[in-house]
Amino acid sequence: MKQKFNVTGMTCSACSAHVDKAVRKLDGVCEVNVNLLGGSMTVDWDGALTPDQIVSAVEKAGYGASLPAAPGEGTAQAPAKPAADAMEDDLKNMRARLISSFVFLIPLFYLSMGHMMGWPIPRFFHGAENAMIYALTLFLLTVPILVINQKYYRVGFKTLFHLSPNMDSLIAVGSAAAVVYGVAALYCIGWGLGHGDMALVEHYSMDLYFESAGMILTLITLGKYLETRSKGKTGQAIARLMDLTPKTATVIRNGTEAEVPVEQVQAGDLVLVRPGGSVPVDGVVVEGASSVDESALTGESIPVDKGPGDTVISASINKSGVLTLRATRVGQDTTLAQMIRLVDEAASSKAPIAKLADRVAGVFVPVVMAIALITAVIWMIATGSIERALTSGVAVLVISCPCALGLATPVAIMVGTGKGAEHGILVKSAEGLEHLRSVTTVVLDKTGTVTEGKPKVTDVYPLGKTTAEELLCVAASLEKPSEHPLGGAVVEEAERRNIPLAPVTGFEAVHGKGVRGSIQGAAYLAGNAAMLADAKVELGQDAMIADGLAEQGKTPLFFVEDGRPIGIIAVADTVKETSRAAIEGFQKLGLKVVMLTGDNRRTAEAIGRELGLTDVVSEVLPADKERQIAALQEKGEKVAMVGDGINDAPALARADVGLAIGAGADVAIESADIVLMKSDLADAVTAVELSRATIRNVKQNLFWAFFYNAVCIPVAAGVLAIWGGPQLSPMIAGAAMSFSSVCVVTNALRLRFFKPSIQSHPEVNSGGKPAAEVKGEQKAMEKKVVIEGMMCQNCRAHVDKALNGIPGVSATVDLDSKTAVVTGDVTDEAIRAAVEEAGYKVASIQ
């Protein structure tokens, strides 16, 4: 069983280490994950263990624990109190404590340091005869600071008595030692004044240490305030996601519209979403048409067209028309709720790199206390001075910083996973994020990952006197009744060009070959080469066109009218616009890229050439994908697998890191460590870059935390003073400790400025509509090329092959007009070079 608990009273990594240790001792506990930042703990256990026993174990360790408030039926998120609100309350409380502490600290510091600094001080504070007035005033100014910051003593001594000391214990013992010494000094001053021993009075009136106690508590509170305020920024990604949740929904029940809390929406309800409204739950459109802005969840800036049968996701914004949808996922099952849960779980999980810091933090405080005691004893023996011993011992206690160790990893992981969510990258665990930085090979599934995942018309070649429009009319009319995926691509292309269809009679589908039928009395055939062979139709020189298309990995469909070929239409699963840039991005990062596909070798190699890939494994059966991953791992490769289908799930699980395309099957997403919400391969590159940036940040934080403690603790112990250097004051030690934690959090916040190297601009939006139709300015560049020297269909095939061989280019060549229409981002020089290399001449480019 796996359960999340709220944990209170944790202030540093030593606390989380003690909670972890206390729960792990229980029989049946398999895994414990304590989140210091979120004040939570996830426990995985089996056997007869109960949540009450786990809560009791945490309480015996000196901390508080409870089960989260159970979500109400249908609620997406129903915490008793959002973490952001709790942190805001903590900030308000700390701000009040900080201001109050400074109110008393400023006069305390002024009085205690005024003699040395030459500041004007009232006369009744001067001289040995007024020493008691001076000492009592400092004491009375210190007491309110102790009361205001009593939390350090309450928590610190409680955990100390439970033999699980934490950072609060260091502060409590250090400041209490200074106060106790100051109170003892008060008695010594009183004794000296009563017995006329003015030397004793003067000695102790200069060594009261009240200002050290007050300064330590105030500076620690200041550091905690700055740290908490910075930590609040690390959770902004989750807060922004939670803010997207609509509060109400308009449902249609019994023919009547009613506005209800979103928690009351049930699966199967009809939900009405008006223009400008936010989609409250996941659902399927049953009526209406509109464009929907999904940028908040997917990061895709272009609105997606939605109509009946299309899926909409919660927190999307309806931009134009009225939509009626049937709720399919509500409450905690919505896409938004799952995103919030994934981001929260990732931020709460621990990367393997954090384990060293956790082990150190578990013994850090007892070791520091031992060092402080040894330091004080050595200085006492060496100098015979209680003041010198106390100064060194308190400085060691106060300067040591387990917080910096504890914060080094979680703050960076939280900011990194939050930044990933902003870019549509959901990291399911910190472990996956860390492993991703060390991968050496990226394996890509072709269909749906590198390619669009569905066939699309790429080339239209009318033969003889047939025009492109006539060919598409005949082709789409014949294919319409077939329901074959390739035929569906032809019908979709005709619809996109607004070409009307003609009625077909005598329709017949020939399995594995094609279709036949009659249009306006003429007999037509449509199909593959086998269909033409059965009908004894010869292509002649036009066969070269088909061969050229096949070499490019495209499937040629042949169309025949009364025994005469009238055209060839090429259909292919086209490469996504950002795939080539993504593969180049992987290669720039020093990664080897391998593409797996079940396609035949010819098609696979054609796509490989288009993408600039040399490692292409073709004719791979679904069951063999996992074995291909294992084979790479046996060669010592660290493998990341990117896939989307059910058949990719075993390979995703086998890989060191699995990345699932968000539009893919649920089982693939479940098997993956990272989910790419935009279904864009460029985001996989971004994920690698983000992983490297995050783990680099973690290492910087850990280096600082270890370096700080390794240097500062010996300095506080008085190592420099041995060779005539300065003795560190407890006040300076307290300021240094606060500065250390703030530095770690501030460094982690630099990840908020992370920017991916590749910006995705998909050619086709997720609604299936070309981006050019959504935004006119996105339309691909077209150029008309006039070519000299083409005399026959053989010439046309050569030119066609040359132009379509240019990366990122789609070209249609017309023999009659001696022209070619080139679509794509390509220079005139590249077009001229390709045509001339084929043996022809470019007359003009328009």
Side-chain angles (χ1 to χ4, degrees):
M1 181 177 177
K2 192 173 184 178
Q3 178 66 54
K4 187 173 183 178
F5 296 81
N6 294 326
V7 181
T8 57
M10 295 190 299
T11 58
C12 69
S13 60
C15 301
S16 58
H18 288 310
V19 171
D20 184 289
K21 186 176 179 181
V23 176
R24 283 185 188 276
K25 287 180 179 178
L26 298 174
D27 292 335
V29 172
C30 304
E31 186 59 44
V32 182
N33 229 328
V34 183
N35 181 11
L36 173 64
L37 283 177
S40 64
M41 170 182 66
T42 303
V43 183
D44 192 358
W45 76 90
D46 52 28
L49 193 64
T50 65
D52 288 341
Q53 290 174 299
I54 295 172
V55 169
S56 177
V58 175
E59 290 174 346
K60 286 178 181 177
Y63 304 90
S66 63
L67 289 170
E73 186 67 32
T75 53
Q77 292 288 323
K81 192 174 191 180
D85 291 346
M87 190 168 285
E88 187 61 34
D89 287 346
D90 283 345
L91 272 175
K92 287 180 181 177
N93 180 266
M94 273 189 212
R95 191 183 300 119
R97 282 169 45 203
L98 186 61
I99 293 171
S100 302
S101 296
F102 270 111
V103 166
F104 293 97
L105 178 67
I106 291 171
L108 172 63
F109 185 77
Y110 187 90
L111 278 177
S112 59
M113 304 300 290
H115 296 88
M116 291 185 289
M117 305 300 293
W119 296 336
I121 292 177
R123 293 186 61 81
F124 57 82
F125 288 122
H126 287 278
E129 64 277 9
N130 294 315
M132 183 56 76
I133 297 174
Y134 172 71
L136 276 174
T137 303
L138 295 184
F139 176 67
L140 292 175
L141 286 171
T142 303
V143 169
I145 299 176
L146 301 179
V147 174
I148 291 166
N149 296 285
Q150 60 179 289
K151 177 185 175 185
Y152 296 120
Y153 300 101
R154 193 172 63 249
V155 175
F157 285 120
K158 178 182 178 182
T159 55
L160 186 60
F161 294 148
H162 281 92
L163 301 179
S164 56
N166 62 3
M167 190 201 73
D168 287 343
S169 303
L170 298 177
I171 297 167
V173 171
S175 59
V179 171
V180 168
Y181 179 83
V183 171
L186 271 175
Y187 280 94
C188 290
I189 291 171
W191 174 272
L193 289 172
H195 294 78
D197 189 348
M198 301 312 289
L200 183 67
V201 172
E202 288 183 7
H203 173 75
Y204 280 104
S205 63
M206 292 296 105
D207 284 311
L208 289 167
Y209 278 96
F210 289 130
E211 77 283 354
S212 292
M215 184 67 80
I216 288 169
L217 293 172
T218 304
L219 287 178
I220 296 296
T221 303
L222 172 62
K224 281 288 182 186
Y225 173 75
L226 294 175
E227 179 188 313
T228 304
R229 194 173 71 170
S230 297
K231 284 194 292 189
K233 296 177 182 177
T234 66
Q236 284 180 351
I238 295 177
R240 279 196 290 266
L241 285 174
M242 294 184 72
D243 288 341
L244 294 173
T245 310
K247 302 298 183 289
T248 60
T250 302
V251 298
I252 303 174
R253 291 173 178 166
N254 301 320
T256 305
E257 293 182 19
E259 187 171 298
V260 300
V262 71
E263 295 85 359
Q264 296 180 13
V265 179
Q266 303 294 320
D269 279 349
L270 288 177
V271 180
L272 190 69
V273 186
R274 293 187 171 84
S278 180
V279 178
V281 294
D282 291 5
V284 176
V285 177
V286 296
E287 186 179 335
S290 179
S291 60
V292 176
D293 181 1
E294 299 178 340
S295 59
L297 295 182
T298 66
E300 174 51 61
S301 59
I302 300 174
V304 181
D305 289 343
K306 298 291 184 181
D310 289 334
T311 299
V312 290
I313 54 179
S314 55
S316 303
I317 304 297
N318 183 18
K319 303 294 285 186
S320 51
V322 177
L323 292 176
T324 302
L325 57 98
R326 189 172 300 282
T328 55
R329 291 181 178 180
V330 299
Q332 292 184 314
D333 295 328
T334 66
T335 301
L336 177 62
Q338 290 179 33
M339 280 185 70
I340 293 171
R341 189 182 71 251
L342 283 175
V343 174
D344 184 42
E345 287 177 356
S348 302
S349 63
K350 287 186 179 178
I353 196 172
K355 292 177 181 176
L356 173 62
D358 287 344
R359 286 197 295 269
V360 172
V363 298
F364 184 86
V365 174
V367 168
V368 167
M369 286 186 158
I371 292 172
L373 181 61
I374 292 169
T375 299
V377 170
I378 290 174
W379 278 109
M380 187 69 182
I381 295 171
T383 65
S385 169
I386 296 177
E387 296 84 359
R388 194 69 177 267
L390 183 64
T391 297
S392 299
V394 171
V396 168
L397 288 172
V398 174
I399 204 168
S400 57
C401 188
C403 278
L405 281 172
L407 293 171
T409 300
V411 289
I413 295 294
M414 178 172 277
V415 179
T417 53
K419 199 66 185 174
E422 288 179 18
H423 289 281
I425 301 167
L426 292 187
V427 180
K428 294 169 71 175
S429 72
E431 186 174 0
L433 189 68
E434 180 176 346
H435 287 327
L436 186 58
R437 66 170 286 277
S438 59
V439 298
T440 57
T441 299
V442 178
V443 176
L444 308 175
D445 173 57
K446 179 187 79 75
T447 305
T449 302
V450 174
T451 63
E452 296 288 354
K454 65 177 184 177
K456 178 182 175 183
V457 171
T458 58
D459 305 88
V460 178
Y461 287 100
L463 303 178
K465 295 182 180 180
T466 307
T467 65
E469 288 73 17
E470 290 170 343
L471 176 58
L472 276 170
C473 175
V474 169
S477 300
L478 285 170
E479 298 287 4
K480 180 76 172 177
S482 73
E483 297 184 357
H484 190 279
L486 298 182
V490 174
V491 174
E492 187 176 307
E493 179 67 13
E495 291 175 349
R496 191 181 73 82
R497 299 193 187 192
N498 296 317
I499 295 175
L501 305 187
V504 178
T505 59
F507 175 82
E508 180 188 354
V510 182
H511 181 68
K513 295 179 181 179
V515 298
R516 59 166 58 96
S518 298
I519 300 175
Q520 297 178 354
Y524 289 93
L525 298 177
N528 55 24
M531 186 81 166
L532 267 63
D534 288 350
K536 295 182 172 53
V537 176
E538 296 290 339
L539 284 175
Q541 290 185 339
D542 293 331
M544 293 187 63
I545 299 173
D547 291 341
L549 293 169
E551 285 180 12
Q552 296 170 35
K554 301 172 183 177
T555 302
L557 302 177
F558 304 97
F559 297 88
V560 179
E561 178 186 358
D562 292 331
R564 177 178 60 86
I566 61 170
I568 302 172
I569 295 178
V571 177
D573 182 6
T574 55
V575 171
K576 292 179 180 178
E577 184 182 346
T578 55
S579 292
R580 184 177 178 87
I583 289 167
E584 289 175 352
F586 283 131
Q587 292 168 343
K588 287 178 182 176
L589 292 172
L591 302 177
K592 176 184 176 184
V593 184
V594 179
M595 185 178 76
L596 294 182
T597 176
D599 287 344
N600 60 65
R601 184 177 59 82
R602 194 179 195 183
T603 300
E605 288 180 352
I607 293 175
R609 284 194 302 272
E610 184 178 349
L611 295 170
L613 277 176
T614 55
D615 292 303
V616 178
V617 184
S618 58
E619 300 175 3
V620 179
L621 296 174
D624 292 336
K625 291 182 179 180
E626 187 264 347
R627 283 196 284 272
Q628 292 288 339
I629 300 293
L632 286 169
Q633 290 173 326
E634 287 173 5
K635 294 177 182 176
E637 301 285 348
K638 293 265 189 175
V639 182
M641 168 74 186
V642 188
D644 71 324
I646 292 175
N647 55 31
D648 294 326
L652 288 167
R654 161 67 71 175
D656 295 283
V657 183
L659 296 94
I661 295 294
D666 287 345
V667 66
I669 292 173
E670 285 297 320
S671 303
D673 301 293
I674 295 171
V675 181
L676 310 178
M677 292 293 292
K678 284 188 285 185
S679 304
D680 190 338
L681 191 57
D683 287 340
V685 180
T686 300
V688 175
E689 293 172 341
L690 181 62
S691 167
R692 292 184 177 183
T694 302
I695 302 306
R696 183 167 57 247
N697 192 284
V698 168
K699 288 183 175 180
Q700 290 167 353
N701 286 345
L702 286 173
F703 171 79
W704 167 253
F706 281 112
F707 174 80
Y708 165 84
N709 284 291
V711 171
C712 290
I713 289 177
V715 170
V719 170
L720 296 180
I722 296 174
W723 290 281
Q727 172 68 52
L728 198 65
S729 161
M731 291 185 288
I732 297 174
M737 194 279 270
S738 298
F739 175 73
S740 174
S741 296
V742 173
C743 276
V744 166
V745 176
T746 303
N747 185 52
L749 288 175
R750 291 192 306 111
L751 284 170
R752 295 167 66 198
F753 303 105
F754 168 84
K755 292 188 185 303
S757 62
I758 302 175
Q759 300 295 332
S760 57
H761 300 287
E763 181 179 327
V764 178
N765 66 24
S766 56
K769 307 293 195 310
E773 294 181 14
V774 182
K775 278 194 172 182
E777 61 270 20
Q778 296 286 326
K779 188 174 181 179
M781 185 183 296
E782 281 189 0
K783 296 183 179 183
K784 185 176 182 181
V785 186
V786 179
I787 302 170
E788 295 179 354
M790 291 195 302
M791 305 298 293
C792 62
Q793 291 293 346
N794 191 17
C795 300
R796 189 181 83 159
H798 282 303
V799 173
D800 179 89
K801 183 178 179 181
L803 290 175
N804 281 293
I806 302 173
V809 164
S810 175
T812 303
V813 183
D814 182 57
L815 179 60
D816 295 334
S817 62
K818 304 292 192 293
T819 61
V821 176
V822 178
T823 305
D825 187 10
V826 60
T827 63
D828 292 354
E829 290 74 15
I831 294 173
R832 288 182 190 278
V835 173
E836 289 171 1
E837 188 176 341
Y840 303 90
K841 184 179 179 181
V842 174
S844 65
I845 300 178
Q846 302 169 3

